[in-house]
Amino acid sequence: MMMGEGVEWGLHCCTVLAWLDDHAPIATARLAEIFELPPEYLKKRLQPLVREGILDSTPGARGGYRLARAPERITLMDVVSAVEGRTEAFRCTEIRRRGAGATRAATEFAKPCGIARAMGRAELAWRRELAAQTVADLMAAAPSNASAHTRSFYEHVTA
């Protein structure tokens, strides 16, 4: 499975916004500058997070983004689902009913095949793992100077 760069961007932005929580909303241009990303493209990547209630967006000259809820209430799965959608990664098209299987009785296909079951279990495990980790966990796992480094860089680019 391959996720788009929007997931990485979204998670990093959520982490930075959590570290800068005592500041006013952070403008897209400032977030983009922290990571050297194109501002307009970043803005498009953050909009699904706003729609899903992960970020709040304030329009205007003093506007920008803030976390809409506490970092411990934003799971990695929340961000992945917002950016990538909720569609399952594996889609069984029942190819076993075609070709040689086309003449078999429908009762032979009453249960999902082993491939569909295995893929379903794997995806469930993946989703559970992402749902068990939060932005607060990412913050806790970051190097001890990451928050201070982010704060000083932010303060430098806004000075």
Side-chain angles (χ1 to χ4, degrees):
M1 172 188 316
M2 186 169 168
M3 287 183 266
E5 62 192 3
V7 171
E8 178 187 9
W9 295 12
L11 288 167
H12 277 289
C13 286
C14 284
T15 304
V16 165
L17 291 170
W19 281 325
L20 299 173
D21 190 43
D22 58 339
H23 287 76
I26 310 301
T28 307
R30 295 295 177 234
L31 282 171
E33 192 169 356
I34 290 170
F35 298 110
E36 294 185 0
L37 299 171
E40 285 305 311
Y41 196 52
L42 177 60
K43 184 177 180 179
K44 289 179 185 178
R45 293 298 185 202
L46 297 179
Q47 287 308 307
L49 300 177
V50 172
R51 284 192 297 275
E52 291 296 321
I54 296 167
L55 298 180
D56 281 327
S57 175
T58 305
R62 295 186 174 257
Y65 295 96
R66 296 187 74 117
L67 292 182
R69 50 189 196 242
E72 53 278 345
R73 292 192 49 235
I74 302 170
T75 70
L76 276 62
M77 191 70 237
D78 293 336
V79 175
V80 170
S81 293
V83 174
E84 295 289 323
R86 289 178 169 69
T87 306
E88 293 178 0
F90 178 78
R91 291 171 201 85
C92 179
T93 61
E94 278 294 354
I95 66 168
R96 63 190 178 142
R97 291 183 183 222
R98 294 188 241 162
T103 59
R104 292 192 164 152
T107 56
E108 289 187 46
F109 307 109
K111 293 182 180 178
C113 70
I115 294 167
R117 288 192 310 269
M119 297 302 277
R121 284 191 307 271
E123 181 156 350
L124 183 58
W126 175 77
R127 288 178 182 273
R128 282 182 178 156
E129 183 65 24
L130 291 176
Q133 296 180 61
T134 66
V135 170
D137 295 331
L138 296 177
M139 295 167 70
S144 59
N145 64 346
S147 174
H149 178 71
T150 299
R151 285 179 174 277
S152 84
F153 180 82
Y154 176 76
E155 288 163 3
H156 170 75
V157 298
T158 57

